[in-house]
Amino acid sequence: MPNPDPVSRRDLANAIRALSMDAVEAAKSGHPGMPMGMADIAEVLWNDFLSHNPANPKWFNRDRFVLSNGHGSMLLYSLLHLTGYALPIEELKHFRQLHSKTAGHPEACEFPAIETTTGPLGQGLANAVGMALAEKVLAARFNRPDCDIVDHYTYVCLGDGCMMEGISHEAASLAGRLKLGKLIALYDDNGISIDGEVQGWFTDDTPKRFEAYGWEVLRDVDGHNSEAVKAALVSAAIDPDKPTLICCKTIIGYGAPHKQGTEACHGAPLGKDEVAAARVQLNWPYPPFEIPAEIYAGWDARGTGAEREAQWNSLFEKYAASHPDLAAEFKRRMARDLPAEWQAHAEAYVRKLQADGPVVASRKASDGARCVRPEVAGADRRLRRSGRFEPDDLEGLEGRQFVRRERELRLLRRA
């Protein structure tokens, strides 16, 4: 059915809502409330800010997008499908089915554009901290005044459940301490959990907590006002030394007239009657899984994505011409190859240990690996004077041990 009116931001966001409720309904299982509530936020982020190329999900300098509240996975699958990734509508129709690429929670092994697997709440935030740290470390090591080849943001969506997990405290504290200014978190503050309203039992002052960690916090952003979301995302990129938490006030299940704003739409299908009512409420007259051509056109990121990657490729060619050794080392790391001298150094190190026979703790023994793998960073659950580093000197972090809680650092993604 053709749409006679111009495509609006709300029309584009409603495509996410329709796909999400249709997929959950078809599966008879899933979480429609979060993607319906965060659809307007996602539309602004993906259409106005996120740098990515659907034709090459692993393009190095893409922005990273992590869905920490992974139970709302249809938000991510809808975005990937609509923007032009090789995730056909049939995969959405088989949401949560065996052998489908669209698992109940995003699985990185199932589709290359899924940055990380997010099941346990809070884990995605910790992963995002690792990605932002990797970006900062690589930028310190490889960028030069005439050429910034490492220059991307990490965006992470998270909900109340993520905030309740201890790992979110640890990871957020580390992000503030390391001044990860290119990390931007979008908090889906809808006040609803699977058991109902969180008011009265989840009593943390979340904005104050993150401010204490050294984050910039933007409070009470209307998550259904596209211009407010856009202004918040612009503001989030201003301070290079502070990660940003954008607290978005949203209505879970937005558009489902009888269930929105309640736990009834959190972790169960809306039901046939409510889906029909939502279509009326959202002015979405199309059958299940049908997206009009003009909506697809409004979402299509393939052209801009290819252009951005081509610009970066051209930049890297200039970089390689001016800094051939650095470019070669960068390529090695991105290929995850061992250094050329690794085997000889490793064998020499083992021979030395065998000859000297020292009794050393494992953390000291691992120093040998760092000598020949400069990209390796380790951690210890206890403070150790020789392992300290100054976060302001991130280039000096390479090949040294930095100290932070082991649980947190295990999740930091290798550069």
Side-chain angles (χ1 to χ4, degrees):
M1 182 184 299
N3 187 346
D5 300 319
V7 175
S8 67
R9 283 193 180 275
R10 184 54 54 83
D11 293 330
L12 297 175
N14 284 345
I16 296 174
R17 296 186 170 102
L19 288 173
S20 297
M21 65 183 184
D22 289 343
V24 172
E25 196 66 27
K28 302 302 179 189
S29 177
H31 298 74
M34 187 282 269
M36 295 178 74
M38 293 199 78
D40 296 303
I41 299 168
E43 187 277 322
V44 175
L45 174 61
W46 280 62
N47 278 328
D48 289 16
F49 293 88
L50 197 74
S51 181
H52 63 114
N53 183 8
N56 183 8
K58 297 303 182 184
W59 164 45
F60 168 75
N61 208 43
R62 69 193 181 278
D63 290 334
R64 272 58 170 176
F65 177 78
V66 177
L67 197 71
S68 190
N69 42 355
H71 55 274
S73 55
M74 272 307 304
L75 178 72
L76 178 55
Y77 301 145
S78 298
L79 289 164
L80 294 176
H81 171 73
L82 290 167
T83 54
Y85 286 83
L87 192 70
I89 196 69
E90 291 304 315
E91 290 291 346
L92 276 63
K93 291 180 180 179
H94 291 99
F95 175 58
R96 296 178 73 101
Q97 304 306 301
L98 188 63
H99 305 308
S100 170
K101 292 183 174 66
T102 50
H105 291 72
E107 297 282 350
C109 61
E110 295 294 340
F111 193 69
I114 299 172
E115 295 287 357
T116 184
T117 298
T118 50
L121 292 170
Q123 174 179 301
L125 175 59
N127 289 153
V129 170
M131 293 175 190
L133 175 55
E135 193 275 345
K136 190 165 187 177
V137 171
L138 286 170
R141 175 67 181 88
F142 290 103
N143 286 353
R144 289 298 179 265
D146 63 327
C147 205
D148 288 345
I149 61 167
V150 183
D151 183 17
H152 56 264
Y153 284 82
T154 300
Y155 298 94
V156 55
C157 293
L158 63 159
D160 289 322
C162 297
M163 294 299 192
M164 295 173 196
E165 294 290 342
I167 197 170
S168 73
H169 296 248
E170 300 173 32
S173 175
L174 179 65
R177 180 68 184 93
L178 298 183
K179 301 180 180 180
L180 302 183
K182 289 186 176 179
L183 173 62
I184 299 175
L186 294 145
Y187 172 29
D188 182 27
D189 186 10
N190 59 37
I192 297 292
S193 78
I194 197 168
D195 291 321
E197 295 184 4
V198 302
Q199 185 177 4
W201 59 270
F202 180 47
T203 58
D204 292 12
D205 190 327
T206 298
K208 284 186 178 179
R209 171 155 72 90
F210 274 74
E211 286 173 345
Y213 293 148
W215 288 55
E216 177 184 10
V217 177
L218 305 178
R219 302 167 182 248
D220 299 324
V221 175
D222 183 350
H224 302 297
N225 182 324
S226 298
E227 291 307 311
V229 173
K230 183 174 182 177
L233 286 166
V234 169
S235 178
I238 293 175
D239 192 335
D241 292 329
K242 285 188 176 183
T244 302
L245 177 70
I246 303 175
C247 300
C248 300
K249 293 292 184 181
T250 63
I251 299 172
I252 190 172
Y254 184 95
H258 307 106
K259 294 188 176 183
Q260 68 176 24
T262 73
E263 70 274 17
C265 63
H266 176 95
L270 296 179
K272 181 179 178 181
D273 292 342
E274 186 71 359
V275 168
R279 277 185 152 74
V280 175
Q281 180 82 4
L282 297 170
N283 190 27
W284 189 265
Y286 313 104
F289 297 107
E290 182 177 310
I291 304 295
E294 61 268 24
I295 297 292
Y296 274 126
W299 275 107
D300 192 351
R302 290 172 293 185
T304 55
E307 182 179 347
R308 286 172 177 170
E309 182 175 358
Q311 290 172 349
W312 185 84
N313 289 338
S314 176
L315 179 68
F316 189 81
E317 288 180 3
K318 295 178 182 178
Y319 177 84
S322 301
H323 311 284
D325 292 342
L326 283 173
E329 174 64 6
F330 181 84
K331 288 180 178 180
R332 179 192 70 78
R333 295 193 191 187
M334 295 306 104
R336 300 192 175 188
D337 291 335
L338 293 171
E341 69 279 7
W342 183 87
Q343 187 70 32
H345 282 187
E347 290 176 356
Y349 182 65
V350 171
R351 287 194 299 269
K352 185 177 186 302
L353 289 178
Q354 290 172 335
D356 297 345
V359 178
V360 296
S362 60
R363 64 180 179 271
K364 289 187 177 180
S366 63
D367 287 345
R370 289 196 297 274
C371 290
V372 293
R373 290 295 302 276
E375 63 267 38
V376 170
D380 194 316
R381 66 172 65 87
R382 293 176 295 274
L383 289 175
R384 183 165 66 93
R385 182 171 299 278
S386 62
R388 292 179 183 173
F389 82 105
E390 291 300 322
D392 292 337
D393 181 24
L394 281 177
E395 186 168 356
L397 175 141
E398 295 195 348
R400 300 172 62 185
Q401 184 181 52
F402 61 93
V403 179
R404 191 63 191 172
R405 297 182 185 181
E406 184 180 64
R407 178 189 181 194
E408 180 179 317
L409 268 291
R410 282 202 311 268
L411 296 173
L412 295 183
R413 181 171 168 172
R414 182 165 65 88

